[in-house]
C-alpha cells in the first residue's frame, strides 16, 4: 500500500511486526518458513485426527489441554421409555393426523407401549400356532389361528378379515342315517 502523508512516493511496506526476523531474513525466506510451519501444523493435525473436527478427549490430553464437561449422549424417547417401537415417529403421525388440537408427549409413549404389547402378544400366539403346525416361518394363517384361539384378542379383532387366513377348523358331526329311524319305528 502507499502511505499517505509521506513525502516519498515510493511504495512502503506494511509496518514491521517482527523487527528482528525481518533484519535477519528476507521476505522470501519468511514466506518459505511460514509455509513450512503451516505444513507442519497440518501434518500434526492429521496425525492427531484433528482435521475438520473438534478434538476428542484423548486428543485434548495429548495436546495438554484440559477437557471440558462431558456432554450427555442423546437418548431417544423410545429408549427412555424402554420400548422398541418408535415414540418420535408415532408422535409426529399423531400430530399430522389431526386427531386433536393438542397432543401430549405422553400420548405417543402410551400408544407406542400399547402397540408394542399387542404386537408381542399376537406374535407369541402366531409363533405357538406355527410350532404346532411344525413350521419355522409365521404365515398369515398362523396369525389368524393365534388371534382366534385367544378369547380377548378374538373379541377385539372380531370384525377383522385376515387375508390368506382361512377359517377355524371345526369337526362337524356326520348326520344320522334315516334308515335307523325307520327300522326303529317298525319294531
Amino acid at each position: 500500500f502507499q502511505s499517505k502523508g509521506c513525502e516519498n512516493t515510493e511504495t512502503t511496506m506494511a509496518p514491521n511486526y517482527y523487527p528482528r526476523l525481518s533484519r535477519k531474513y528476507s521476505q522470501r525466506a519468511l514466506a518459505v518458513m511460514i509455509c513450512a510451519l503451516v505444513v507442519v501444523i497440518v501434518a500434526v493435525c492429521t496425525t492427531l485426527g484433528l482435521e475438520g473436527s473438534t478434538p476428542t478427549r484423548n486428543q485434548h490430553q495429548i495436546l495438554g489441554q484440559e477437557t471440558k464437561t462431558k456432554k450427555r449422549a442423546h437418548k431417544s424417547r423410545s429408549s427412555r421409555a424402554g420400548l422398541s417401537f418408535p415414540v418420535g415417529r408415532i408422535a409426529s403421525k399423531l400430530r399430522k393426523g389431526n386427531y386433536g388440537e393438542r397432543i401430549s408427549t405422553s400420548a405417543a409413549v402410551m400408544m407406542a407401549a400399547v402397540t408394542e404389547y399387542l404386537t408381542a402378544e399376537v406374535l407369541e400366539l402366531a409363533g405357538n400356532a406355527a410350532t404346532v403346525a411344525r413350521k419355522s416361518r409365521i404365515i398369515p394363517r398362523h396369525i389368524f389361528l393365534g388371534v382366534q384361539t385367544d378369547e380377548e384378542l378374538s373379541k377385539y379383532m372380531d370384525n377383522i378379515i385376515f387375508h390368506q387366513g382361512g377359517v377355524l377348523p371345526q369337526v362337524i358331526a356326520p348326520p344320522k342315517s334315516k334308515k335307523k329311524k325307520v327300522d326303529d319305528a317298525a319294531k
Side-chain angles (χ1 to χ4, degrees):
F1 68 91
Q2 290 188 354
S3 61
K4 297 176 184 174
C6 291
E7 294 172 355
N8 198 349
T9 56
E10 297 176 14
T11 56
T12 58
M13 298 302 292
N16 197 355
Y17 293 107
Y18 303 103
R20 285 188 189 161
L21 291 176
S22 64
R23 285 183 211 149
K24 210 173 199 183
Y25 303 105
S26 68
Q27 288 180 347
R28 185 176 182 116
L30 281 174
V32 169
M33 288 171 49
I34 289 173
C35 287
L37 184 61
V38 168
V39 168
V40 168
I41 290 172
V42 168
V44 168
C45 287
T46 53
T47 48
L48 291 177
L50 301 178
E51 186 176 43
S53 65
T54 57
T56 61
R57 185 176 180 187
N58 294 336
Q59 292 165 347
H60 277 298
Q61 289 173 350
I62 291 171
L63 295 174
Q65 301 172 352
E66 291 187 24
T67 58
K68 295 181 180 178
T69 58
K70 287 185 184 179
K71 290 184 179 178
R72 282 194 297 174
H74 175 72
K75 239 182 157 183
S76 66
R77 286 189 278 176
S78 298
S79 63
R80 278 188 231 149
L83 299 173
S84 299
F85 274 47
V87 174
R89 186 174 296 172
I90 291 174
S92 66
K93 298 290 182 189
L94 282 173
R95 274 186 256 110
K96 289 179 184 175
N98 291 328
Y99 297 108
E101 287 182 25
R102 299 165 66 184
I103 304 293
S104 122
T105 55
S106 61
V109 176
M110 185 66 180
M111 190 166 197
V114 169
T115 309
E116 184 176 331
Y117 169 74
L118 286 175
T119 305
E121 191 73 25
V122 167
L123 279 176
E124 181 185 352
L125 293 170
N128 294 343
T131 53
V132 166
R134 296 183 184 156
K135 303 287 184 183
S136 60
R137 184 177 294 169
I138 296 175
I139 59 174
R141 172 80 177 156
H142 300 142
I143 296 173
F144 172 74
L145 291 174
V147 167
Q148 293 301 320
T149 55
D150 188 53
E151 184 181 337
E152 293 172 346
L153 280 177
S154 65
K155 284 182 185 176
Y156 179 67
M157 298 184 183
D158 188 30
N159 297 325
I160 294 177
I161 298 171
F162 289 91
H163 179 68
Q164 294 288 318
V167 294
L168 277 175
Q170 296 177 357
V171 178
I172 300 174
K176 295 182 181 180
S177 65
K178 295 180 180 178
K179 291 181 181 178
K180 288 185 181 179
K181 291 182 181 178
V182 173
D183 291 334
D184 291 338
K187 292 183 182 179

